């Protein structure tokens, strides 16, 4: 978007906001609201006692209305929640493998799979995506995919900010989010939205419709269909190495950016939800709801430099003396380009293909791969395909489907029952394009399907509630009890052979194929290539699998399932008038790691008509998913700006066990919450809630564990499997990880750390009636969350420990003003983000070294001083304020047009501190850890029609 149009949009929006605030009262007097009637929503979560509002429960429950969800610039559910809940955090995930497809979010400083997601009070299935690279708080998590939820389908969202495993089972440690679907039996709403970013005019488009229909005389069917299309964004700079290649004459390098940093392209994004019910009689109802959704995602990836990408463009090294004779001199070796001999592949002996040294990453020496092949028939080099290197594109397709049917009612004796059966499935198919399987040489494809993940869940529930009369209590004793049987299955399906198989050029060197002594290298710097003796130097062993993300091989595929059953009871009553006590207990048994028992006690005391105190204490747990326990894959990461291949392996893999890995067990948690509700006046309300969460045996990914230089003789378990004449990475490949021979590091899931999280939530609401000037709703929400790592095994990296404590802003605030004036509406939302840290992945922090030489990374110390001569520094960033705004006008109580801006003042976040020395590194303009994203401002127009 050009600067003049950018300014025009902001000017128009600010002008409209001012107009709506000072519009002539006479024009609106007839339509002005006559009074204020606060409505307390009855909530489902937090208490199984009937007719409880969010402020009447013994634990804090936020209620987000349909208007809250719809009146935003973003169409992504995670972004919507972040904009409304200060304890909810989600970041953009560029170049993060599967986390680019399904973004992981966290609440109250805990991981995505510590949040239980419900729809109409029923457990929702998790996504098939495992976010290995989802940021330190979310890395390795496997939570539900909230992006499949269309906002127009939602009546309200209930957010329970309290541990609730004793009531709802696994995952409910950070809290519970319950989506209540619309149940209107009539009406049609149609909505369209178009928006563009300020900086580059990247567009986002949305079309949605919701319809309510009667089912007979006593039933309803409500359906929502949504389509969105989001163009990719780019907030990139040209990488330093790519810029160097261009400057020295390589005009084949992609411009303006060899590597793109930004939001991925999302297309064919369809989401459908339905909700239905039929009253069979006065005491019984059958119901059903479900969804279908699908989308395609295409994101960026790391640049493959034509001068130094090992296993693709380079392989091996050699040294020469001043006379051009080959010598053994490791300190003065020159890297060689990766040459393949198509005439002698699979054979030993001497190759006629001359060796070609490479000058390194950022200098173009004039080498031309096509000319080399023409001069040397039968010799192949990938530079002939990509003289300027290449950048893969990673993406995939997500498909999500669920259905639930149930029957509920009440008996004459007052017993209420609810029996339901549900099935949920999430499927992800991965693809990487514009890359190659180097081991296939000239027969390699360029585009690859990689295989599939599948998550399948079945839930069978029976829930009952009975009000028991007890004489000595001030109310009936609400007795809730029930059972659940759940089957969870995770499946990995094989990719096409070319995506994972070792082609014929993987073993040139190990088969004994060597150069014959011809090396194209200007030893004497006289402008001519010289004949150099190399003494049997082996030809390249080319990388195996689709470069960047190898496909799923037969050794990786499989299906793993787990069944568990549970029984719970939940008691609640008023002990005396104005004092409520609740006690809940749950027994849950898993067929893979045993059973767990959890309990909770909660209380609420209405001290005065306007002031109440509440609190809770309990235990919680989260079971490891079958996916976390069994997934294996290879991906590309950067470590301190260096491109590396990392292998994700199961925790019970022999190599993982060498570094402390073992079969996963459940996480355990202890929760304590306390707070108060103060109705200061009829229109002013304040809630303050503190919390303390201690977690033990937390499941997360280890940091990056270097294995490239490890001696296999130091690991007897590996020697037993692979022998001694082999490297650690090669052993890993031999026991089932394709492409592992190229690995420099591994990671796996571990229970080996514990944390304590403390925090406080403050929420204030105020409604003021200005008479004929309209009504204003003020909301202020503040969250403080601090996490302390209490214990961390040696394999848990410094980066992960530091970011568990500092990656999220400790303080976040959201301040919202909604003003209604007849048919006009205006909203301003101001969000505050405290400082945060993108920590260094380093082993050079002296504070982590113990007197006995061992490592304890929880003893790290942050070093925020940007010093490029130091071994490392942490990237520490200051606080930021973000402003959202929108104005709307409704015509004839049916048609509404809204003009808005998300990030009105175009805050793009901080520039990446890695670039402060003038170098650009990987090409990211802004730090990707920015908690509010780095795409800057977005303006949008929304049109809506309501037909009742």
């Amino acid at each position: 978007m050009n600067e003049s149009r950018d300014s025009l949009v902001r000017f128009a929006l600010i002008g409209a906001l001012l107009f709506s605030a000072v519009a002539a009262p006479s024009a609106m007097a007839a339509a002005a609201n006559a009074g204020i009637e606060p409505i307390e929503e009855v909530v489902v979560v937090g208490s199984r006692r009937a007719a409880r509002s969010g402020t009447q429960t013994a634990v804090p429950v936020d209620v987000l209305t349909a208007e809250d969800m719809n009146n935003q610039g973003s169409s992504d559910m995670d972004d919507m929640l972040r904009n409304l809940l200060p304890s909810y955090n989600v970041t953009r995930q560029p170049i993060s493998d599967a986390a680019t497809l399904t973004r992981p979010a966290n609440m109250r400083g805990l991981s995505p799979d510590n949040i239980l997601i419900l729809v109409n009070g029923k457990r929702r299935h998790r996504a098939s995506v495992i976010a290995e690279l989802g940021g330190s708080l979310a890395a390795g998590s496997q939570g539900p995919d909230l992006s499949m939820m269309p906002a127009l389908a939602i009546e309200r969202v209930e957010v329970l900010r309290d541990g609730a495993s004793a009531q709802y089972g696994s995952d409910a440690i950070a809290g519970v989010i319950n989506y209540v679907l619309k149940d209107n039996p009539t009406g049609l709403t149609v909505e369209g939205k178009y928006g563009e970013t300020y900086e580059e005019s990247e567009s986002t488009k949305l079309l949605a419709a919701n319809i309510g229909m009667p089912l007979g005389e006593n039933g309803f069917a409500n359906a929502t269909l949504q389509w969105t299309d989001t163009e990719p964004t780019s907030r990139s700079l040209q990488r330093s190495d790519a810029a160097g290649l261009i400057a020295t004459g390589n005009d084949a390098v992609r411009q303006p950016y060899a590597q793109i940093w930004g939001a991925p392209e999302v297309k064919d994004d369809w989401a459908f939800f339905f909700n239905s019910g039929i009253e069979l009689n006065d005491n019984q109802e059958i119901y059903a709801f479900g969804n279908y959704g699908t989308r395609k995602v295409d994101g960026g990836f790391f640049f493959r430099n034509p001068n130094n990408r090992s296993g693709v463009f380079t392989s091996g090294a050699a040294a020469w003396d001043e006379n051009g004779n080959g010598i053994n001199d490791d300190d003065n070796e020159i890297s060689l380009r990766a040459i393949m001999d198509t005439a002698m592949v699979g054979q030993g002996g001497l190759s006629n293909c001359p060796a070609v040294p490479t000058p390194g990453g950022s200098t173009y020496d004039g080498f031309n791969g096509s000319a080399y092949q023409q001069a040397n028939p039968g010799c192949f080099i990938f530079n002939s395909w990509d003289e300027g290197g290449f950048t893969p594109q990673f993406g995939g397709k997500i498909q999500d489907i669920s259905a639930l049917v149930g029957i509920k009612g009440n008996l004459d004796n007052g017993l209420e029952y609810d029996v339901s059966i549900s099935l949920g499935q999430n499927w992800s198919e991965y693809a990487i394009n514009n890359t190659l399987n180097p081991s296939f040489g000239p027969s390699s494809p360029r585009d690859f399907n990689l295989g599939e993940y599948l998550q399948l869940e079945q839930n069978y529930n029976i829930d009952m509630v009975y009000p028991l009369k007890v004489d000595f209590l001030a109310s009936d004793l609400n007795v809730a009890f029930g059972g659940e049987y759940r089957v969870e299955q995770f499946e990995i399906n094989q990719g096409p052979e070319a995506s994972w198989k070792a082609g014929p050029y993987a073993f040139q060197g190990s088969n004994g194929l060597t150069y014959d002594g011809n090396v194209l290298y200007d030893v004497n710097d006289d402008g001519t290539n010289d004949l150099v003796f190399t003494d049997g130097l082996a030809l390249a062993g080319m990388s195996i699998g689709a470069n960047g993300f190898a496909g799923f091989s037969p050794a990786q595929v499989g299906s793993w399932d787990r069944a568990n059953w549970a029984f719970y009871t939940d008691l609640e009553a008023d002990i005396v008038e104005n004092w409520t006590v609740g006690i809940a207990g749950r027994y849950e048994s898993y067929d893979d790691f045993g059973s767990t028992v959890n309990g909770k006690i909660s209380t609420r005391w209405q001290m005065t008509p306007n002031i109440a105190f509440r609190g809770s204490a309990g235990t919680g747990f989260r079971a490891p998913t079958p996916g976390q326990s069994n997934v294996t894959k290879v991906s590309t990461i950067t470590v301190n700006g260096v491109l590396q291949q990392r292998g994700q392996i199961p925790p019970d893999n022999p190599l993982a066990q060498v570094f402390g890995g073992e079969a996963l067990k459940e996480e355990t948690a202890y929760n304590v919450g306390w707070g108060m509700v103060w109705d200061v006046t009829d229109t002013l309300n304040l809630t303050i809630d503190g919390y303390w969460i201690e977690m033990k045996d937390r499941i997360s990914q280890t940091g990056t564990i270097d294995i490239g230089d490890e001696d296999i003789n130091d690991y007897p378990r590996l020697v037993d499997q692979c022998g001694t004449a082999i490297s650690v990475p090669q052993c890993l490949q031999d026991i089932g990880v394709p492409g592992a021979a190229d690995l420099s590091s591994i990671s796996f899931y571990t229970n080996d750390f514990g944390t304590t999280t403390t925090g406080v939530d403050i929420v204030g609401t105020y409604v003021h009636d200005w008479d004929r000037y309209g009504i204003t709703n003020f909301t202020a929400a503040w969250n403080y969350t601090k996490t302390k790592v209490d214990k961390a095994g040696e394999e848990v990296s410094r980066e992960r420990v530091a970011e568990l404590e500092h990656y999220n802003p400790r303080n976040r605030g959201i301040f919202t003003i909604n003003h209604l004036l007849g048919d006009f509406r205006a909203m301003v939302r101001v969000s505050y983000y405290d400082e945060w840290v993108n920590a260094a992945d380093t082993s050079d922090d002296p504070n982590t070294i113990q007197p006995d030489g061992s490592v304890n990374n929880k003893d790290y110390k942050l070093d925020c001083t940007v010093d490029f001569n130091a071994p490392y520094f942490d990237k520490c960033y200051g606080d930021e304020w973000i402003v959202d705004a929108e104005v709307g006008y409704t015509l004839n109580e049916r048609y509404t047009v809204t003009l808005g801006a998300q990030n009105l003042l175009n805050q793009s976040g901080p520039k990446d501190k890695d670039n402060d020395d003038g170098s650009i590194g990987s090409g990211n303009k802004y730090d990707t850890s920015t908690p509010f994203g780095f795409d800057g401002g977005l303006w949008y127009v929304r049109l809506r029609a309501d037909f009742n």
Side-chain angles (χ1 to χ4, degrees), residues 590-843:
Y590 289 80
D591 63 9
D592 55 354
F593 66 81
S595 61
T596 177
V597 178
N598 290 273
K600 179 178 180 178
I601 184 170
S602 59
T603 185
R604 186 181 188 277
W605 174 42
Q606 188 75 44
M607 185 179 73
T608 72
N610 296 327
I611 299 177
F613 293 93
R614 59 191 180 188
S616 66
T619 62
F621 76 103
R622 184 183 78 80
T625 71
Q628 289 172 325
S629 297
N630 295 282
V631 69
T632 302
K633 78 178 190 67
V634 174
S635 57
T636 304
I637 62 169
T638 58
V639 177
N640 296 329
V642 178
L643 206 61
Q644 293 187 1
Q645 292 285 95
R646 182 175 74 175
Q648 175 71 36
I649 60 177
D652 56 358
N653 180 286
L655 182 56
Q657 292 176 345
V658 165
F659 292 95
E662 58 185 9
L664 296 178
K665 57 185 178 181
E666 77 275 18
E667 299 175 334
T668 58
Y670 302 89
N671 300 67
V672 178
W674 60 94
M676 66 170 291
V677 179
W678 183 16
D679 295 320
V680 185
T681 68
D682 289 341
T683 58
L684 176 61
N685 174 269
L686 177 68
T687 64
I688 303 174
D689 292 281
Y691 53 90
W692 174 90
I693 307 169
E694 182 184 44
M695 291 192 65
K696 297 183 178 181
D697 298 322
R698 282 191 66 173
I699 299 170
S700 184
Q701 209 174 37
T702 65
T704 301
I705 302 173
D706 295 328
I707 63 169
D709 297 327
E710 294 291 320
D711 185 349
I712 196 169
N713 292 291
D714 294 335
Y715 305 107
R717 292 183 183 181
L718 298 186
V719 172
D720 291 343
Q721 293 205 36
C722 303
T724 59
I726 194 172
S727 66
V728 171
Q730 185 65 52
C731 177
L732 185 60
Q733 178 162 306
D734 290 350
I735 60 178
V737 182
D742 302 317
L743 293 182
S744 57
S745 59
I746 62 166
S747 66
F748 53 89
Y749 296 109
T750 176
N751 286 101
D752 200 14
F753 76 102
T755 60
T756 297
T757 298
T758 55
V760 62
D761 288 300
I762 304 174
V763 180
T765 61
Y766 174 63
V767 183
H768 188 80
D769 187 348
W770 305 92
D771 196 14
R772 54 178 160 175
Y773 294 99
I775 291 178
T776 305
N777 293 272
F778 300 88
T779 302
W782 189 271
N783 171 260
Y784 168 81
T785 296
K786 178 182 178 181
T787 295
K788 175 67 176 176
V789 176
D790 304 318
K791 171 183 176 293
E794 189 166 343
E795 76 282 356
V796 182
S797 72
R798 176 194 184 275
E799 175 192 29
R800 190 155 316 282
V801 173
E803 291 188 351
L804 283 164
E805 297 186 347
H806 298 283
Y807 191 82
N808 273 352
R810 284 191 178 175
N811 288 281
R812 275 200 62 204
I814 301 173
F815 309 93
T816 306
I817 300 174
N818 270 296
H819 186 69
L820 306 175
L821 182 61
D823 294 326
F824 280 97
R825 180 184 63 81
M827 183 277 294
V828 176
R829 181 189 303 115
V830 180
S831 299
Y832 173 74
Y833 294 84
D834 202 358
E835 59 190 22
W836 74 95
V837 177
N838 189 347
D841 185 7
T842 180
S843 58

Side-chain angles (χ1 to χ4, degrees), residues 539-561:
L539 260 67
M542 304 302 291
S543 178
I544 300 170
N547 192 253
F549 195 112
F552 306 138
S553 70
Q556 294 172 267
V557 304
S559 180
W560 302 272
D561 57 42

Side-chain angles (χ1 to χ4, degrees), residues 137-208:
L137 273 74
S141 62
Q142 190 183 0
D145 183 0
L146 297 188
S147 64
M148 290 292 176
M149 303 286 298
L152 204 58
I154 297 167
E155 179 67 29
R156 67 180 185 274
V157 181
E158 303 169 353
V159 182
L160 170 61
R161 294 181 277 109
D162 191 60
S165 294
Q167 295 167 289
Y168 302 106
S170 176
D171 305 349
I173 295 176
V176 179
I177 299 177
N178 179 41
Y179 290 88
V180 180
L181 301 177
K182 289 180 178 177
D183 57 4
N184 306 47
T186 61
L188 170 66
T189 298
V190 180
E191 182 176 279
K193 181 166 62 179
Y194 179 84
E196 287 185 3
T197 60
Y198 291 2
E199 188 166 333
E200 297 291 341
S201 299
E202 299 112 341
S203 70
T204 178
K205 298 180 280 289
L206 176 145
L207 293 173

Side-chain angles (χ1 to χ4, degrees), residues 475-535:
S475 71
D476 288 344
L477 175 63
N478 194 77
V479 181
F481 57 98
E484 179 179 43
Y485 178 72
R486 188 164 76 250
V487 179
E488 183 176 352
Q489 177 180 327
F490 180 77
E491 187 175 303
I492 302 177
N493 295 320
Q494 183 177 320
E497 279 194 353
S499 69
W500 54 265
K501 190 174 182 179
Y505 297 94
F507 310 107
Q508 286 187 119
S510 58
N511 285 340
L513 186 59
T514 60
Y515 294 111
D516 67 355
N518 292 323
V519 176
L520 296 179
Y521 183 59
D522 187 0
V523 175
N524 301 313
D525 198 24
D526 60 3
T528 61
N529 289 323
D530 301 288
L531 188 67
V532 177
F533 177 69
T534 57
D535 194 21

Side-chain angles (χ1 to χ4, degrees), residues 73-191:
S74 177
S75 302
D76 183 272
M77 182 58 62
D78 279 312
D79 287 338
M80 292 179 189
L81 292 179
R82 180 191 64 199
N83 293 339
L84 297 171
L85 300 171
S87 62
Y88 191 91
N89 289 278
V90 64
T91 60
R92 178 59 58 197
Q93 297 291 334
I95 315 184
S96 296
D97 289 357
T100 303
L101 277 64
T102 300
R103 291 192 298 159
N106 60 83
M107 189 167 76
R108 301 206 296 173
L110 301 179
S111 71
D113 37 21
N114 289 146
I115 310 168
L116 178 61
I117 304 299
L118 306 177
V119 176
N120 284 350
K122 306 294 184 180
R123 177 183 289 265
R124 179 154 174 84
H125 61 279
R126 67 181 81 249
S128 57
V129 166
I130 301 176
E132 283 94 350
L133 304 181
S136 288
L137 273 74
S141 62
Q142 190 183 0
D145 183 0
L146 297 188
S147 64
M148 290 292 176
M149 303 286 298
L152 204 58
I154 297 167
E155 179 67 29
R156 67 180 185 274
V157 181
E158 303 169 353
V159 182
L160 170 61
R161 294 181 277 109
D162 191 60
S165 294
Q167 295 167 289
Y168 302 106
S170 176
D171 305 349
I173 295 176
V176 179
I177 299 177
N178 179 41
Y179 290 88
V180 180
L181 301 177
K182 289 180 178 177
D183 57 4
N184 306 47
T186 61
L188 170 66
T189 298
V190 180
E191 182 176 279

Side-chain angles (χ1 to χ4, degrees), residues 279-292:
E279 292 184 5
L280 301 178
N281 53 54
D282 292 341
N283 298 317
Q284 194 172 60
E285 177 186 355
I286 59 171
Y287 60 91
F289 59 87
N291 80 291
Y292 175 80

Side-chain angles (χ1 to χ4, degrees), residues 1 6 74 79 82 91-94 103 196-204 230-236 260-265 882 902-903 905-910 925-928 930-939:
M1 183 175 186
D6 174 359
S74 177
D79 287 338
R82 180 191 64 199
T91 60
R92 178 59 58 197
Q93 297 291 334
R103 291 192 298 159
E196 287 185 3
T197 60
Y198 291 2
E199 188 166 333
E200 297 291 341
S201 299
E202 299 112 341
S203 70
T204 178
T230 306
E231 290 185 343
T233 64
S234 174
R235 301 297 178 265
S236 311
I260 302 298
W261 291 90
E265 179 183 23
I882 303 297
Q902 181 175 285
N903 194 348
L905 304 180
N906 198 28
Q907 296 291 103
S908 297
K925 186 176 182 180
Y926 304 105
D927 197 294
T928 58
T930 304
F932 49 86
F934 51 86
D935 285 333
L938 172 96
W939 67 266

